Amino acid sequence: MRMAIRSRYRSIYYSTEAAPLAAFRVLFGIIIALSMLRFVAYGWVEKLYLSPVFHFTYLGFSWVQPLGIWTYGLFLLCFISAIGVALGYRYKLSTMVLFLSFTYIEAMDKTTYLNHYYFISIVALLLCFLPANATYSLDNKQGRSCERLIPKWTLLSIQAFIFIVYFYAGLAKLNSDWLFEAQPLSIWLTTKTDLPLIGQFFESTWVHYLFSWGGAIYDLTIPFLLVNKRTQKIAFVLVIAFHIMTRVLFPIGMFPWIMIIAATIFFPSKYHIAFLYRALPFLRPQDQSEKRKYLGSSKWLVTLIIASQIILPWRYLFYPGELFWHEQGFRFSWRVMLMEKQGYTTFRIVDKDTGESWTVQNEEFLSSFQEKQMAFQPDFILEYAHHLANHYKATEGRNISVYADSFVSLNGRTSKAFVDPTIDLITKSRNFQPIDWLLPFNDSIHGL
Amino acid sequence: MNHKPFLLSKLVGVLLFGVLLFSTSCERTTGNSDTWNRSTMLQHWADDIIIPAWNNFSVASTEAVLAADTFSLKLDASSLETLRFKYQVAYRSWQKVSLFEIGPGEQRNIRLRCNTYPTDTSEIKINVNQLHLGNEPNLLLPSTFTQQGFPALDYLLYSKGSVADQLNYLSTQPGAVTYMKFLFSSINNLANEVYTEWSTDYRTTFLEGNGSSASASVNKMANDFIFHYEKELRAGKVGIPAGIFSSNTLPHSIESLFNPGFSKELFQTSFDAHVAFFNGTSYDGLSDGPSFSKYLDHLGATENGQPLSDAVNQQFEASQTALNGVTESFKATVETDNFTMLGLYDELQRNTIRIKTDVMQILNVKIDYVDADGD
């Protein structure tokens, strides 16, 4: 047994074909480049980053702000670096720039937070430390790097990350709302009756349960099926079927395509070699005789990244109360498609010096999308309350208290009061301490 | 060794392909009586509510234009009284279409052009003088939205109070009557254009948007409905004058400022239009059809054991009760008895919360088209 483990451990240093990682690099770079084009073409740079006068930031990262008209330059930089990654041109620099520019874009306003953007950031970060340019790259052609074989752990790290994403997404679905109420899928599917063929079934309760349970089983098993050589083919068919289904049902943009591409990393290298040979003849390596050892130091950074992915999703355990209600530890945890949450939050201002009082018209400060996202997420509510205090201090010299009147509905439950309306939010600071200014959920959602 | 995953793969496969097989083996049944039919609802909205409303507004504004023409020729008290009456009919008719800006109305900024208040009287005076000199103001410019529409006509028709004084003002102020006619006809042109478009091309577009995406008609109407209820009815007509959003009350920001006795009736008309649309009552009030309330019932939406639609309607009734306590003039109420006005606001607010959280959740309304993975 011990021998087996040890030999297993050693095997991660064995050399493996560089082709799977190279193919992943190419496809990943292309899809990110396309995502950038799509984002700009839809006018979302203007809509999400340039028109709003205020942006919701991550704690400690409030210095990450849109750059005015130069924000387009940032998207261009991200696009160019993604192409650089795809071609394997000055790979180290390209991956670093891709990671930094993409992550900066996502951190400019957390209103737009999506798990798959976070997924892209982590993959880009991993790629910074992996020899994905070893073959079929411009670096390779220009003699900066040339290896047919790479250490096996470098390939395993990407596979491990994708494994974690699926498995944790599955674990998160093991909760009473998802399994026993079929929520939120029940709400989401019921209004999709207009879809051809399948739409007519979406008002049936059994279909909601089928999709809920099917989704949970899919997320929990697909990583195993992808790893296992005997089940890989059926697994890939399932990956395609599942993600196309989600694409049809929900507005989730590029996510399905990214996950379909990601799944190919599990395939035997002969597929990647054949793919690269046919698809990228201009990058075909001439001479692979020269062998250089890949830098070993990155191994620990990669291990650290993977370890953080295993640990971070559990940070919610440090926060008392219902996770779905207070959302502390909800983001960056592969909790995907778990909630239908709607809120309505308005803010009462009281001038501490004059006693004057009024309610804020949120549209003066927020876009409709920001207002919607703010209304049910406590960290947004607090940041906005502080912004209001700063605003009235700066423009009118007022010292104010801010009280929130907030109502939230979650997974089909009747809405109830969310923020304690008697607490001056200005007395609460933004930090990682448990929130003590929300009213209790008074219901329970069991599960992980 | 790899036995277990293989079994699981079969399980997942059977589950998913089972759905697929079941879907394809069944004949597609259109108009399935079990599922909610969006097309029928959209057709009812278009043919029985929205298009009749625009038709009525088009007719009413045409009659107002004719009355303005007559008055400009006669310049006497009785034709001014007729004009004031026709203006009120048209303004009430406006309240019933304001909710339906979707499509052709939105394209023309019709709500901003017809009903931006408080109006800018000093700019109106400048326009009157300019028009007298032969310079027509460009009413398409956003900066002129506070110088046109019903609020500007309210000033031109009521600012001096009595019929005699108003007649005196209109007949002695060069350009005033011309400007008034100019405003009436611009409203009428907008009304005719929107009505024409609705009764031809846009009706088709509206009905074709029978899907569930953010750009589909039901989703847009749901957004428009709550937007209008929240911003126009609750905030514009009541909240802002009552001082909810400011440190003092703002009685001069009411709708129909120069004829404040008309403000409650305008509110009532708009309020009724919301209630009727929510419940699918036809424009003539004689029949009803599919609506948000019936859709909610169909989806089984409840609040504390009773249908959610009933809860919304009971809150509408509570709002009506609060409204009954308000005098005809919202201005007088704000100035002398703002407590009553705040009471009306609170009742309206309760349904704002209910619609923005519970109703929007069940109807799965999307605010805007952006990617979202549901978290």
Side-chain angles (χ1 to χ4, degrees):
Chain A
M1 185 66 184
R2 179 178 287 180
M3 281 294 284
I5 289 170
R6 184 172 291 174
S7 78
R8 202 67 196 239
Y9 179 71
R10 282 217 191 104
S11 77
I12 65 171
Y13 291 106
Y14 292 174
S15 291
T16 186
E17 287 286 345
L21 205 52
F24 180 78
R25 183 205 82 218
V26 171
L27 294 173
F28 182 75
I30 291 172
I31 196 104
I32 303 309
L34 289 176
S35 298
M36 290 298 116
L37 290 179
R38 172 175 179 269
F39 205 94
V40 174
Y42 279 153
W44 288 347
V45 178
E46 174 72 31
K47 186 173 177 177
L48 299 173
Y49 298 115
L50 302 187
S51 339
V53 292
F54 170 71
H55 295 282
F56 289 99
T57 59
Y58 292 103
L59 195 51
F61 291 89
S62 52
W63 51 274
V64 180
Q65 288 285 329
L67 311 171
I69 198 70
W70 290 103
T71 311
Y72 282 103
L74 193 60
F75 277 81
L76 182 66
L77 191 66
C78 190
F79 173 79
I80 291 171
S81 60
I83 297 289
V85 169
L87 294 174
Y89 177 72
R90 300 206 175 267
Y91 174 76
K92 199 85 182 173
L93 178 70
S94 290
T95 47
M96 294 285 237
V97 172
L98 176 63
F99 167 70
L100 290 173
S101 59
F102 190 88
T103 308
Y104 188 96
I105 287 169
E106 294 321 315
M108 289 192 300
D109 193 330
K110 69 183 171 190
T111 311
T112 60
Y113 173 82
L114 288 181
N115 282 305
H116 71 266
Y117 292 154
Y118 176 51
F119 177 84
I120 291 167
S121 273
I122 298 294
V123 169
L125 182 62
L126 280 173
L127 285 180
C128 293
F129 309 112
L130 302 177
N133 61 333
T135 188
Y136 279 92
S137 67
L138 282 178
D139 287 348
N140 187 305
K141 293 289 278 184
Q142 294 165 1
R144 282 189 290 272
S145 161
C146 183
E147 291 159 68
R148 190 177 63 81
L149 299 175
I150 53 172
K152 197 171 179 185
W153 65 263
T154 60
L155 179 63
L156 280 177
S157 66
I158 293 278
Q159 292 179 342
F161 176 54
I162 292 163
F163 193 105
I164 291 167
V165 170
Y166 271 118
F167 193 69
Y168 273 41
L171 288 181
K173 288 182 173 69
L174 301 181
N175 69 72
S176 52
D177 270 18
W178 185 275
L179 296 174
F180 305 123
E181 307 288 336
Q183 290 288 20
L185 280 182
S186 174
I187 291 175
W188 291 341
L189 294 177
T190 307
T191 52
K192 302 284 180 195
T193 47
D194 56 298
L195 288 179
L197 295 174
I198 47 176
Q200 56 188 312
F201 300 105
F202 284 164
E203 285 189 3
S204 311
T205 311
W206 68 268
V207 174
H208 308 157
Y209 280 95
L210 181 78
F211 274 66
S212 294
W213 283 71
I217 293 170
Y218 169 85
D219 279 344
L220 287 171
T221 54
I222 206 76
F224 294 97
L225 303 183
L226 283 169
V227 167
N228 192 308
K229 287 190 172 44
R230 287 173 57 189
T231 52
Q232 260 172 3
K233 277 182 186 151
I234 176 86
F236 193 60
V237 173
L238 288 174
V239 165
I240 292 173
F242 179 85
H243 287 292
I244 285 181
M245 184 67 107
T246 60
R247 181 73 192 85
V248 170
L249 289 174
F250 310 112
I252 50 179
M254 304 296 281
F255 181 61
W257 315 125
I258 292 168
M259 291 315 283
I260 288 172
I261 283 172
T264 62
I265 191 110
F266 292 95
F267 287 0
S269 54
K270 62 176 180 183
Y271 293 108
H272 304 98
I273 293 168
F275 163 74
L276 290 170
Y277 187 83
R278 277 189 217 124
L280 301 169
F282 58 99
L283 289 178
R284 222 173 273 164
Q286 309 293 323
D287 170 31
Q288 292 189 318
S289 58
E290 187 197 349
K291 268 200 162 187
R292 270 172 287 167
K293 254 227 166 315
Y294 187 71
L295 285 174
S297 62
S298 307
K299 184 175 61 194
W300 300 110
L301 285 168
V302 170
T303 310
L304 200 70
I305 295 165
I306 298 297
S308 74
Q309 288 308 311
I310 295 172
I311 296 162
L312 267 180
W314 299 102
R315 72 190 188 280
Y316 81 96
L317 294 170
F318 291 108
Y319 296 100
E322 175 50 53
L323 170 65
F324 285 18
W325 192 242
H326 60 63
E327 293 196 40
Q328 294 168 100
F330 194 87
R331 269 170 261 151
F332 308 111
S333 303
W334 311 119
R335 294 169 198 282
V336 189
M337 310 287 289
L338 283 184
M339 294 195 303
E340 167 60 32
K341 212 173 174 189
Q342 294 272 356
Y344 180 60
T345 300
T346 54
F347 295 83
R348 266 177 304 116
I349 307 288
V350 177
D351 186 317
K352 284 192 256 195
D353 303 322
T354 66
E356 287 170 312
S357 169
W358 67 94
T359 299
V360 174
Q361 304 227 50
N362 289 330
E363 67 268 27
E364 284 178 26
F365 300 92
L366 307 176
S367 69
S368 58
F369 184 46
Q370 287 176 317
E371 186 182 359
K372 176 194 155 76
Q373 295 295 100
M374 175 277 292
F376 61 84
Q377 300 185 79
D379 56 335
F380 284 65
I381 291 172
L382 188 62
E383 184 177 2
Y384 180 48
H386 281 283
H387 173 68
L388 290 173
N390 294 338
H391 170 83
Y392 285 110
K393 181 85 192 168
T395 58
E396 300 177 26
R398 290 177 186 264
N399 289 310
I400 61 164
S401 300
V402 179
Y403 301 90
D405 291 305
S406 181
F407 297 85
V408 166
S409 60
L410 171 62
N411 282 354
R413 293 172 181 82
T414 300
S415 62
K416 48 187 146 193
F418 189 53
V419 176
D420 186 336
T422 64
I423 291 179
D424 175 8
L425 293 175
I426 304 311
T427 63
K428 303 292 174 184
S429 48
R430 295 178 67 199
N431 54 39
F432 291 111
Q433 298 294 314
I435 292 172
D436 60 357
W437 40 271
L438 289 185
L439 294 168
F441 181 46
N442 286 335
D443 200 342
S444 34
I445 301 172
H446 303 283
L448 290 169
Chain B
M1 179 181 142
N2 296 322
H3 209 61
K4 202 175 176 191
F6 192 64
L7 274 177
L8 282 170
S9 89
K10 272 190 172 168
L11 182 61
V12 177
V14 166
L15 275 175
L16 285 179
F17 287 108
V19 181
L20 215 64
L21 271 178
F22 192 65
S23 322
T24 46
S25 64
C26 288
E27 284 291 301
R28 191 183 174 190
T29 47
T30 43
N32 188 331
S33 61
D34 288 325
T35 61
W36 187 255
N37 193 327
R38 284 160 187 265
S39 298
T40 317
M41 180 161 76
L42 290 175
Q43 200 174 337
H44 171 61
W45 284 353
D47 294 345
D48 303 332
I49 303 176
I50 302 177
I51 295 174
W54 282 110
N55 181 29
N56 186 289
F57 182 52
S58 167
V59 171
S61 60
T62 305
E63 286 184 13
V65 167
L66 295 177
D69 288 344
T70 309
F71 170 72
S72 72
L73 296 174
K74 292 189 178 169
L75 288 179
D76 63 5
S78 93
S79 61
L80 178 57
E81 274 177 43
T82 309
L83 176 57
R84 278 180 165 187
F85 174 73
K86 292 291 183 188
Y87 154 87
Q88 293 202 354
V89 172
Y91 206 172
R92 270 196 302 264
S93 178
W94 161 256
Q95 299 293 338
K96 299 186 196 178
V97 292
S98 179
L99 183 54
F100 308 124
E101 204 190 27
I102 184 171
E106 207 168 1
Q107 228 173 36
R108 293 168 176 79
N109 274 327
I110 196 168
R111 195 188 295 138
L112 287 165
R113 292 196 56 191
C114 283
N115 202 21
T116 297
Y117 58 93
T119 199
D120 189 336
T121 54
S122 51
E123 286 296 327
I124 292 174
K125 284 174 195 156
I126 294 169
N127 286 347
V128 165
N129 288 328
Q130 284 296 313
L131 199 57
H132 184 59
L133 301 172
N135 305 322
E136 254 186 30
N138 180 359
L139 298 181
L140 291 170
L141 295 175
S143 60
T144 67
F145 290 165
T146 54
Q147 305 156 25
Q148 59 177 306
F150 290 104
L153 287 164
D154 175 43
Y155 170 76
L156 293 170
L157 291 174
Y158 291 94
S159 55
K160 307 296 169 196
S162 70
V163 170
D165 291 346
Q166 201 67 34
L167 181 60
N168 184 42
Y169 161 73
L170 286 169
S171 44
T172 54
Q173 181 67 48
V177 173
T178 324
Y179 190 55
M180 181 191 69
K181 283 172 65 182
F182 183 61
L183 294 185
F184 267 121
S185 67
S186 76
I187 291 174
N188 184 229
N189 289 340
L190 284 168
N192 292 339
E193 283 168 30
V194 173
Y195 170 61
T196 309
E197 209 172 311
W198 259 104
S199 44
T200 54
D201 297 347
Y202 190 73
R203 180 186 177 277
T204 316
T205 312
F206 185 73
L207 294 191
E208 278 170 356
N210 61 355
S212 53
S213 69
S215 58
S217 299
V218 175
N219 199 77
K220 275 196 196 162
M221 272 314 303
N223 272 313
D224 283 9
F225 177 79
I226 183 57
F227 179 88
H228 199 273
Y229 180 85
E230 185 189 4
K231 309 289 183 199
E232 301 292 324
L233 190 76
R234 179 203 67 131
K237 294 186 202 308
V238 179
I240 292 173
I244 296 285
F245 308 106
S246 50
S247 46
N248 300 102
T249 58
L250 301 170
H252 291 277
S253 63
I254 67 154
E255 195 173 27
S256 190
L257 175 64
F258 300 99
N259 179 25
F262 191 41
S263 53
K264 183 179 175 180
E265 200 176 333
L266 291 175
F267 176 89
Q268 180 78 64
T269 311
S270 176
F271 177 78
D272 290 346
H274 286 84
V275 177
F277 185 73
F278 179 74
N279 289 301
T281 313
S282 63
Y283 189 75
D284 57 18
L286 299 177
S287 62
D288 72 358
S291 62
F292 283 136
S293 72
K294 292 179 193 74
Y295 194 12
L296 288 172
D297 293 343
H298 175 81
L299 295 171
T302 58
E303 179 184 307
N304 301 323
Q306 69 164 337
L308 180 57
S309 62
D310 285 2
V312 174
N313 277 317
Q314 281 163 20
Q315 189 53 44
F316 280 145
E317 280 163 30
S319 304
Q320 181 64 55
T321 308
L323 178 63
N324 294 342
V326 179
T327 56
E328 293 299 320
S329 162
F330 278 11
K331 182 161 173 276
T333 308
V334 168
E335 283 168 343
T336 61
D337 181 24
N338 197 38
F339 186 75
T340 309
M341 205 64 171
L342 292 172
L344 172 60
Y345 177 83
D346 287 343
E347 297 297 350
L348 293 169
Q349 177 71 352
R350 290 204 173 91
N351 250 356
T352 309
I353 295 164
R354 186 176 278 108
I355 296 170
K356 286 203 104 169
T357 59
D358 301 311
V359 174
M360 293 289 133
Q361 173 179 236
I362 298 299
L363 296 180
N364 194 14
V365 173
K366 289 161 221 62
I367 292 277
D368 226 332
Y369 180 66
V370 271
D371 293 344
D373 58 359
D375 50 13

